[in-house]
Amino acid sequence: MTETHNNQRKQFILLLSLAVGMFGFAYAMVPLHPVFCEVTGLNGRSSMGAADPIAISQVAPSDREVTIQFLANVSHGMPWEFRPTVQQLRVRLGEMYATDYYVRNRATQAVTGQAVPSVAPGYAAKYLHKVECFCFTQQHLDSGEDQHMPVRFYISNDLPEEVQTLTLSYTLFKVPAAQTMRLASSKL
Amino acid sequence: MVAQAEEVIQHRSKLLAYIARWLLTTNHKDIGTLYLCLSFTLFFIAGAMAMVIRLELFQPGIQFAEPQFYNQMVTMHGLLMVFGVVMPGFVGLANWQIPLMIGAPDMALPRLNNFSFWILPFAFGLLLSTLFMEGGAPNFGWTFYAPLSTTYGPPSTDFFILGIHMMGISSVLGAINIIVTIFNLRTPGMTLMKMPLFVWTWLITAFLLIMVMPVLAGLVTMMLTDRHFGTSFFSAAGGGDPVMFQHIFWFFGHPEVYILILPGFGIASQIIPTFARKRLFGYHSMVYATLAIAILSFVVWGHHMFTTGMPVTGQLFFMYSTMLIAVPTGVKVFNWVATMWRGSMTFETPMLFTLGFVILFTIGGFSGLMLALVPADFQYHDTFFVVAHFHYVLYPGAIFGIMAAVYYWLPKWTGHMYDERLGKIHFWTAVIAVNLTFFPMHFSGLAGMPRRIVDYSLQFTDFNMVSSIGAGLLGLTQILFLYIVIKTIRGGEKASARVWEGADGLEWTVPSPAPHHTFEVPPPFPPMMEDNERTPLNE
Ligand code: HEM
Ligand SMILES: [Cu+2]
């Protein structure tokens, strides 16, 4: 009898730790998911960190040209005007290009925004390298203020053959005041 | 005067004793009954919500329910049916039957069992109370995708989160209890590969529960911190990703749909041999097929997300892995049919419900296969075709399974036979009503009618009218079911210990009704049946 009880106790504890482990697994998806997406290009998630500009000086530009289209979206509740200054560019692979986006704060108070990039087709995301991008930092605009925000990028030579057109799309989100403060303090 | 006061006191203490009996009980039969009563009650509440939905959809335009209220009805209906009806229903059956079927005196952890149950009325009470809150009940669908449930969720979402947590704790503790019971309390001689299939399917279901309910708990916790504590797990503005919500949800969600059906597979595997008077065909392959389904269910979740912009390799992977599940499922259907082949079948109500289960569930499996095809799913996704699919696997699947089990074991529980004539009427009206309700949804879905929207274009009117009429009938049949169950509890022809001529297994060796305490000494196995024409399950 006591032996069964000991067994039961052990199994109970084992199974309970399995449950606790699975709870942790849900959280493990949080760091794993972006890494997985970035490595595989799943989800069109585009890097929010700067690519290395040195890398480009080491590759010869190829003759292949593709079209890159620029899109701008503002999320719900974001009072900014936001658009690309050029709609699309014809670009050669391996060469550096620059373009910019225009924003204006239409609200009567200052607002902080964060742009999040996304590339279509998703698997092409890892071939598009942004050397400089307004999405690397938050933007802070006073009421009525406007600005042009630069993007410098190149597309690497090994972009798969079938891709003729890429879309680089940004969605601009309003950063809640609480988060602006928190991010600011965590940067110190 | 004194006598009167004494009477009052006596009456009161009787009432208290009655309440204490159910509140404090650790008896697996009592707790099984409590689970089944809760499930049945919520079945009527969630069913009433379905009536509101179908009433609104009877005609195009907005008649009875404002869009907001309609969305709340759709959400609560789904949540209650999944978490409040099917899951507790199966747990109730497990509580009653598993100890009886493995020759155990009770569940291994009886006090934990009491706790698992009594969490639930509070969890669902909390969930239901959101209907009366300012801003209304959750309105984002049972899948509660972010940002609908984070940025745009009503204030009551926090109560929903707490309710899900409580319900999850109850399920995990219940599942642990079931596993520990099965591992430790089988009567000597009953090896794992000699367990009845209902016990096997529940063992596997319990593992699924322990693996995925905590993931759901993690998900709602992230929602909670996103809503109130400044995290941005699912908010792109803060570096999070709403698509990740869907990955985590469906990592839970697809195994969850198998939690809702595997015990039903077990029930069918008990009932068919009884009424075909033959041994179950392919016992071992049944066990392995169930295991295969459970393991595969962890790698197919992406089929719910084909339209989220997955790369082709991802789509192909999830398409093929999903279609692979059809193979073990097909093995099971084959085995059921092979069991009936050349059997001497009779068609009592439990068998009728099981046959309805086998045939209609298979239709649901086929529409699932259609949905698994990526290019087809692009058209079907978020239409009524999906609604038709999951109602075919859940109504004639899970719900018919529970009903078959109730008819099958009710004589054992109550000691009385149910009214066979009424049972047959119940089955035939239910099977007609189910098809009337859900079959037209295939057509309206293929024609493009979106799900979860209060209004629809005129060309879908006829299909919807038929569905609504079927739904009304289906609602009525439940009242008949309630009547039959109550009638059986209160009286009827006395049931023998074996109840069914072809029944086999330990539960049929105890008298009907099953005494409060059974198997205080482990019974011999294989069981000695009442009369001697026994056909052992497996040797
Ligand atoms: C052969 C087996 C099955 C296959 C191939 C299959 C396939 C699918 C696919 C591809 C979808 C997604 C459709 C879409 O949203 O576009 C789906 C949805 C669904 N399936 Fe299945 N399924 C199967 C069995 C089951 C079973 C056994 C159940 C439950 C008992 C189930 C319950 C559901 C539910 C509830 C949904 C809808 C979820 C929602 O979006 O609300 N399925 N199924
Ligand atoms: Cu699924």
Side-chain angles (χ1 to χ4, degrees):
Chain A
M1 199 61 205
T2 47
E3 199 194 331
T4 359
H5 271 175
N6 273 340
N7 263 345
Q8 290 182 9
R9 218 188 140 79
K10 228 170 43 205
Q11 287 166 6
F12 177 75
I13 290 169
L14 270 176
L15 291 167
L16 201 62
S17 14
L18 178 63
V20 174
M22 288 310 291
F23 185 80
F25 177 78
Y27 277 86
M29 300 260 256
V30 176
L32 289 179
H33 177 77
V35 172
F36 188 74
C37 291
E38 226 155 286
V39 170
T40 57
L42 261 142
N43 207 13
R45 202 183 162 92
S46 173
S47 169
M48 306 257 293
D52 185 2
I54 312 292
I56 190 171
S57 60
Q58 290 161 357
V59 292
S62 84
D63 289 338
R64 194 171 145 215
E65 282 195 354
V66 295
T67 304
I68 176 160
Q69 302 177 320
F70 301 100
L71 288 181
N73 309 292
V74 278
S75 85
H76 182 87
M78 180 58 166
W80 288 9
E81 182 184 343
F82 179 44
R83 57 183 156 79
T85 43
V86 284
Q87 304 289 336
Q88 62 177 41
L89 283 177
R90 204 57 201 157
V91 298
R92 229 171 334 156
L93 301 189
E95 226 174 276
M96 186 82 77
Y97 292 87
T99 179
D100 58 22
Y101 275 71
Y102 173 78
V103 275
R104 191 171 68 85
N105 182 1
R106 286 190 296 219
T108 50
Q109 72 274 39
V111 172
T112 304
Q114 167 75 57
V116 175
S118 166
V119 174
Y123 61 90
K126 63 177 171 187
Y127 303 98
L128 178 69
H129 304 279
K130 297 183 291 299
V131 176
E132 190 187 338
C133 176
F134 53 90
C135 60
F136 297 162
T137 56
Q138 294 183 349
Q139 316 294 322
H140 186 83
L141 293 186
D142 287 327
S143 172
E145 195 185 342
D146 67 349
Q147 70 181 40
H148 285 270
M149 305 187 296
V151 187
R152 275 155 59 79
F153 65 92
Y154 67 94
I155 299 171
S156 48
N157 287 344
D158 48 353
L159 181 73
E161 274 302 315
E162 71 273 15
V163 182
Q164 299 297 329
T165 305
L166 288 89
T167 307
L168 175 58
S169 155
Y170 288 98
T171 307
L172 198 55
F173 292 91
K174 183 173 175 176
V175 180
Q179 277 180 32
T180 329
M181 308 260 291
R182 199 167 50 81
L183 287 177
S185 64
S186 73
K187 276 198 188 109
L188 291 178
Chain B
M1 212 33 213
V2 175
Q4 214 172 5
E6 232 158 56
E7 212 169 89
V8 169
I9 289 168
Q10 221 168 34
H11 184 79
R12 203 179 278 162
S13 69
K14 240 190 211 156
L15 188 71
L16 278 179
Y18 182 80
I19 292 175
R21 151 143 196 239
W22 289 103
L23 203 61
L24 303 177
T25 180
T26 55
N27 179 284
H28 73 102
K29 300 184 184 84
D30 286 351
I31 293 178
T33 306
L34 287 172
Y35 268 110
L36 288 169
C37 291
L38 176 76
S39 162
F40 210 4
T41 311
L42 291 173
F43 188 47
F44 277 97
I45 297 176
M49 294 174 180
M51 295 298 115
V52 174
I53 297 170
R54 281 318 323 173
L55 203 62
E56 176 54 48
L57 293 181
F58 186 70
Q59 282 185 345
I62 296 174
Q63 277 82 227
F64 307 99
E66 289 300 307
Q68 266 304 318
F69 185 64
Y70 179 85
N71 289 349
Q72 293 172 25
M73 286 293 108
V74 172
T75 306
M76 295 294 272
H77 165 75
L79 287 170
L80 287 175
M81 283 292 185
V82 168
F83 296 116
V85 177
V86 178
M87 286 170 69
F90 280 139
V91 179
L93 293 172
N95 262 292
W96 252 104
Q97 289 308 128
I98 288 178
L100 283 180
M101 293 170 98
I102 64 173
D106 205 311
M107 297 295 278
L109 312 161
R111 264 174 282 186
L112 190 73
N113 205 13
N114 173 291
F115 180 61
S116 307
F117 172 76
W118 280 109
I119 295 176
L120 286 184
F122 296 96
F124 292 110
L126 203 61
L127 198 59
L128 282 170
S129 71
T130 59
L131 280 167
F132 307 100
M133 286 179 189
E134 208 167 322
N139 55 3
F140 29 66
W142 84 279
T143 52
F144 57 101
Y145 280 6
L148 289 178
S149 57
T150 49
T151 317
Y152 307 106
S156 62
T157 308
D158 301 324
F159 291 89
F160 154 84
I161 291 173
L162 189 58
I164 292 284
H165 267 306
M166 292 164 66
M167 191 276 307
I169 290 171
S170 159
S171 304
V172 168
L173 294 180
I176 292 179
N177 205 345
I178 285 170
I179 294 175
V180 176
T181 306
I182 295 174
F183 278 170
N184 295 289
L185 298 187
R186 293 189 316 271
T187 194
M190 184 185 277
T191 57
L192 282 180
M193 284 317 259
K194 285 189 175 155
M195 290 194 313
L197 261 162
F198 179 70
V199 180
W200 250 117
T201 52
W202 240 115
L203 179 63
I204 294 168
T205 305
F207 271 104
L208 286 182
L209 278 167
I210 293 181
M211 306 265 303
V212 302
M213 294 311 285
V215 174
L216 179 69
L219 183 68
V220 293
T221 310
M222 290 180 214
M223 268 175 66
L224 188 73
T225 56
D226 264 17
R227 284 169 62 81
H228 298 296
F229 303 109
T231 59
S232 354
F233 289 108
F234 308 125
S235 143
D241 187 345
V243 175
M244 188 176 70
F245 179 97
Q246 298 188 26
H247 280 292
I248 303 178
F249 181 82
W250 288 114
F251 183 85
F252 147 80
H254 191 83
E256 167 70 15
V257 306
Y258 281 99
I259 290 168
L260 300 177
I261 198 67
L262 290 185
F265 288 172
I267 291 164
S269 309
Q270 298 300 134
I271 292 178
I272 290 175
T274 299
F275 295 97
R277 292 166 182 76
K278 265 179 71 193
R279 259 169 63 190
L280 182 71
F281 182 87
Y283 173 90
H284 286 80
S285 65
M286 280 302 211
V287 172
Y288 294 129
T290 314
L291 265 174
I293 291 174
I295 292 167
L296 281 174
S297 74
F298 282 99
V299 294
V300 300
W301 78 89
H303 64 220
H304 296 274
M305 301 172 57
F306 285 146
T307 56
T308 55
M310 229 183 241
V312 177
T313 28
Q315 295 181 335
L316 286 174
F317 171 79
F318 286 121
M319 175 163 97
Y320 290 130
S321 58
T322 302
M323 293 172 80
L324 207 59
I325 293 202
V327 177
T329 313
V331 168
K332 301 197 78 109
V333 174
F334 179 87
N335 285 348
W336 290 324
V337 176
T339 307
M340 289 184 255
W341 176 254
R342 297 202 163 155
S344 30
M345 289 211 280
T346 49
F347 299 93
E348 287 88 343
T349 311
M351 182 62 163
L352 288 176
F353 271 99
T354 308
L355 290 175
F357 170 96
V358 173
I359 294 167
L360 299 178
F361 173 81
T362 307
I363 294 180
F366 280 135
S367 58
L369 275 176
M370 292 169 70
L371 289 166
L373 303 168
V374 174
D377 184 68
F378 274 49
Q379 184 190 337
Y380 307 154
H381 181 65
D382 256 344
T383 68
F384 258 74
F385 191 82
V386 178
V387 180
H389 158 66
F390 67 72
H391 281 95
Y392 262 85
V393 283
L394 286 172
Y395 205 111
I399 301 283
F400 271 23
I402 294 175
M403 285 177 172
V406 169
Y407 279 111
Y408 185 55
W409 284 313
L410 200 56
K412 175 58 62 191
W413 302 338
T414 61
H416 305 128
M417 292 307 283
Y418 60 86
D419 185 329
E420 189 62 56
R421 196 177 58 92
L422 286 182
K424 287 205 165 104
I425 295 175
H426 175 208
F427 170 74
W428 286 109
T429 42
V431 85
I432 290 168
V434 160
N435 285 293
L436 216 52
T437 311
F438 299 119
F439 211 79
M441 293 181 185
H442 289 111
F443 302 124
S444 48
L446 286 178
M449 179 171 161
R451 66 191 277 213
R452 292 176 172 159
I453 293 183
V454 64
D455 191 7
Y456 53 84
S457 356
L458 296 178
Q459 73 267 30
F460 304 126
T461 311
D462 294 345
F463 288 137
N464 276 286
M465 281 191 173
V466 175
S467 278
S468 289
I469 292 169
L473 185 60
L474 197 53
L476 289 180
T477 63
Q478 307 322 325
I479 297 171
L480 179 60
F481 184 46
L482 179 65
Y483 173 76
I484 295 172
V485 171
I486 291 177
K487 191 171 163 209
T488 314
I489 293 171
R490 304 185 63 178
E493 197 192 319
K494 280 221 72 60
S496 68
R498 194 166 179 183
V499 182
W500 311 106
E501 185 193 37
D504 191 37
L506 289 171
E507 79 261 44
W508 308 111
T509 61
V510 302
S512 307
H516 207 55
H517 297 285
T518 39
F519 297 136
E520 269 155 348
V521 252
F525 184 82
M528 308 298 290
M529 302 307 297
E530 202 175 44
D531 40 33
N532 233 0
E533 35 159 3
R534 53 175 285 265
T535 42
L537 268 178
N538 49 87
E539 276 159 321

